[in-house]
C-alpha cells in the first residue's frame, strides 16, 4: 500500500469533568482512577440524612394539603367559600407537590452516576470531604471516541477521503499496530502552514492506547492487490538500481527489479520477477551473476511451507 506518514498523539473527543448538583459530605467513593465504568454506574454517594428528613416533611405536608383541599373543594361546590379562598388552597396544594418533587430530586442527586461508559482518569475527592456545586469530583473519558489528529500538506487534499484506512503504531509498543480510519477532514487549509487537519478515529484498545501516547499515523491512500513482495533484506543496490538474486537451476541469477510501493519490511516488484520465485536473502552481497550456489536451508523452508 501507498501511505502518508505523520506523527501525532492519542486524544479523546469526549472528556467530561463531573461535579455534584447538591452540597453535602462525601459518604462513599465507589470508583478510583483507572477504573472502567459503564453508563449509569455509581461513582460517589453523598450523605443524605437531612434530605431524607426534608423529603418526609414534604410528604407529610402534601398529605395535609390534600386533605384540606378536599374539604375546601366540597365547601366551594356548596358556595360556602369565595373563589379567592378556593384558589389559594389549590395553589398551596400545588406548591406542596412541587416541594416534594424537589426533595426527591435532591435525593436522587446524592448518588453521582457515570454519564457514559469510559475510564476515570482522575479523582479529586475523598470520603468525608464536603463538596458543593463548584467541587470537581472526577475526570471521565470516553474510550470509543479516541482519535489522533494529523496535519496533511495541501497537495494531498484530493488523496484523503473519509473512511480511508489508517494504521497506528508507536515506538513505545514495538511489533504492534492498530487499525484506524479517517473520521473527519477539515474543509479548509491553514494559510500559514499550508496544511489541513485530518482526524483519524481509533478502535477501543485501552490496554495499549492511552491519551497522550506519541504515535505514528499512516493513512493508506492506495493498495495493490495480489502484489509480488520481496523482503527488503534481499535487495542489492547498485548505483540507483535495485537487484535481487533468484535461484534458478542452482544458479544465482541477478535480476533488476522495478519497484512499486514499499514499507519497512517489503518492497513491491512490479515487473521482471514472478510470484513464488526463490530469492536469496542471506549472502547475496558477495555473489556474482550466474554463480553456482547451494541452498543450505531448502529443507527447512520446505518444511515451513508444508506447515
Amino acid at each position: 500500500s501507498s501511505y502518508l506518514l505523520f506523527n501525532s498523539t492519542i486524544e479523546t473527543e469526549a472528556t467530561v469533568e463531573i461535579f455534584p448538583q447538591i452540597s453535602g459530605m462525601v459518604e462513599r467513593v465507589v470508583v478510583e482512577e483507572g477504573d472502567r465504568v459503564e453508563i449509569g454506574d455509581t461513582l460517589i454517594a453523598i450523605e443524605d440524612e437531612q434530605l431524607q428528613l426534608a423529603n418526609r416533611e414534604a410528604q407529610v405536608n402534601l398529605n395535609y394539603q390534600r386533605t384540606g383541599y378536599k374539604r375546601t373543594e366540597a365547601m366551594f361546590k356548596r358556595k360556602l367559600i369565595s373563589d379567592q379562598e378556593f384558589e389559594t388552597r389549590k395553589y398551596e396544594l400545588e406548591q406542596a407537590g412541587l416541594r416534594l418533587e424537589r426533595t426527591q430530586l435532591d435525593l436522587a442527586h446524592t448518588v453521582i452516576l457515570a454519564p457514559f461508559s469510559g475510564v476515570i482518569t482522575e479523582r479529586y475527592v475523598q470520603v468525608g470531604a464536603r463538596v458543593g456545586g463548584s467541587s470537581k469530583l472526577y475526570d471521565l473519558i470516553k474510550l470509543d471516541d479516541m482519535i489522533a489528529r494529523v496535519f496533511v500538506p495541501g497537495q494531498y487534499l484530493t488523496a484523503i477521503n473519509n473512511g480511508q484506512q489508517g494504521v497506528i503504531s508507536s515506538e513505545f509498543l514495538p511489533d504492534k499496530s492498530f487499525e484506524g480510519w479517517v473520521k473527519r477532514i477539515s474543509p479548509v487549509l491553514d494559510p500559514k502552514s499550508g496544511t489541513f487537519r485530518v482526524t483519524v478515529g481509533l478502535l477501543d484498545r485501552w490496554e495499549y492506547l492511552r491519551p497522550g501516547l506519541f504515535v505514528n499515523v499512516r493513512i493508506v491512500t492506495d493498495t495493490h492487490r495480489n502484489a509480488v513482495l520481496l523482503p527488503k533484506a534481499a535487495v542489492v543496490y547498485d548505483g540507483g538500481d535495485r537487484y535481487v538474486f533468484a535461484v534458478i537451476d542452482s544458479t544465482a541469477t541477478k535480476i533488476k527489479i522495478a519497484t512499486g510501493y514499499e514499507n519497512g519490511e517489503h518492497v513491491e516488484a512490479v515487473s521482471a520477477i514472478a510470484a513464488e520465485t526463490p530469492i536469496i536473502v542471506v549472502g547475496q552481497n558477495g555473489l556474482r551473476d550466474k554463480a553456482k550456489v547451494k541452498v543450505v536451508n531448502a529443507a527447512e523452508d520446505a518444511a515451513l511451507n508444508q506447515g
Side-chain angles (χ1 to χ4, degrees):
S1 293
S2 174
Y3 59 86
L4 303 175
L5 177 63
F6 306 95
N7 296 324
S8 184
T9 54
I10 301 296
E11 304 175 44
T12 180
E13 292 197 287
T15 301
V16 296
E17 299 174 336
I18 298 176
F19 293 82
Q21 293 183 274
I22 62 169
S23 300
M25 186 180 69
V26 176
E27 185 178 61
R28 186 161 45 100
V29 174
V30 180
V31 297
E32 295 290 344
E33 294 177 4
D35 287 348
R36 296 188 68 152
V37 297
E38 300 297 327
I39 183 172
D41 283 355
T42 298
L43 307 180
I44 276 179
I46 296 176
E47 192 274 331
D48 63 354
E49 185 177 350
Q50 292 186 7
L51 294 176
Q52 291 283 5
L53 289 173
N55 177 254
R56 289 198 292 270
E57 182 181 19
Q59 184 65 65
V60 170
N61 182 56
L62 178 61
N63 293 338
Y64 172 77
Q65 293 293 340
R66 282 174 177 167
T67 301
Y69 176 75
K70 289 179 181 179
R71 289 197 300 266
T72 302
E73 185 179 35
M75 294 173 67
F76 177 71
K77 290 179 180 179
R78 295 165 58 189
K79 307 295 185 181
L80 297 177
I81 60 174
S82 66
D83 291 352
Q84 179 65 41
E85 190 174 353
F86 175 70
E87 290 297 330
T88 299
R89 177 62 73 174
K90 184 178 180 181
Y91 170 78
E92 291 173 347
L93 175 63
E94 291 175 350
Q95 287 294 308
L98 291 174
R99 281 193 293 272
L100 179 62
E101 290 181 13
R102 187 179 299 113
T103 61
Q104 291 171 339
L105 187 60
D106 286 343
L107 276 174
H109 287 159
T110 61
V111 179
I112 313 300
L113 305 178
F116 53 73
S117 300
V119 169
I120 299 294
T121 58
E122 193 157 358
R123 173 175 66 87
Y124 297 94
V125 295
Q126 58 187 5
V127 173
R130 181 161 291 277
V131 296
S134 61
S135 304
K136 187 192 292 190
L137 306 178
Y138 289 106
D139 285 334
L140 175 66
I141 64 170
K142 195 172 186 179
L143 294 182
D144 55 4
D145 278 337
M146 287 198 294
I147 58 171
R149 291 188 174 95
V150 298
F151 294 87
V152 182
Q155 68 193 80
Y156 299 111
L157 185 61
T158 58
I160 304 295
N161 298 291
N162 283 324
Q164 277 179 317
Q165 180 187 6
V167 180
I168 292 84
S169 59
S170 174
E171 295 178 358
F172 300 103
L173 300 169
D175 303 322
K176 292 186 181 297
S177 61
F178 308 92
E179 293 184 9
W181 71 96
V182 174
K183 191 173 184 179
R184 287 193 307 275
I185 303 172
S186 174
V188 296
L189 273 73
D190 182 347
K192 295 182 179 179
S193 64
T195 62
F196 61 99
R197 186 176 64 250
V198 174
T199 302
V200 177
L202 307 175
L203 298 177
D204 177 5
R205 296 299 300 274
W206 178 251
E207 65 271 31
Y208 300 113
L209 301 177
R210 306 290 177 93
L213 179 67
F214 185 80
V215 293
N216 298 316
V217 179
R218 288 181 290 166
I219 298 178
V220 178
T221 56
D222 188 29
T223 298
H224 290 169
R225 305 295 177 184
N226 301 317
V228 176
L229 300 182
L230 299 172
K232 278 192 169 181
V235 178
V236 177
Y237 295 86
D238 186 358
D241 297 326
R242 297 184 184 186
Y243 297 86
V244 294
F245 282 91
V247 178
I248 301 176
D249 296 330
S250 298
T251 300
T253 303
K254 189 176 182 181
I255 301 175
K256 182 179 178 181
I257 56 172
T259 60
Y261 298 152
E262 59 184 274
N263 57 27
E265 298 178 355
H266 296 91
V267 60
E268 177 190 10
V270 297
S271 64
I273 191 165
E276 309 299 334
T277 301
I279 298 296
I280 299 174
V281 295
V282 176
Q284 72 274 23
N285 289 316
L287 282 177
R288 298 188 308 275
D289 189 25
K290 305 303 182 181
K292 291 292 183 178
V293 294
K294 179 181 179 181
V295 181
V296 297
N297 63 343
E300 177 184 344
D301 288 346
L304 289 173
N305 290 333
Q306 289 175 1

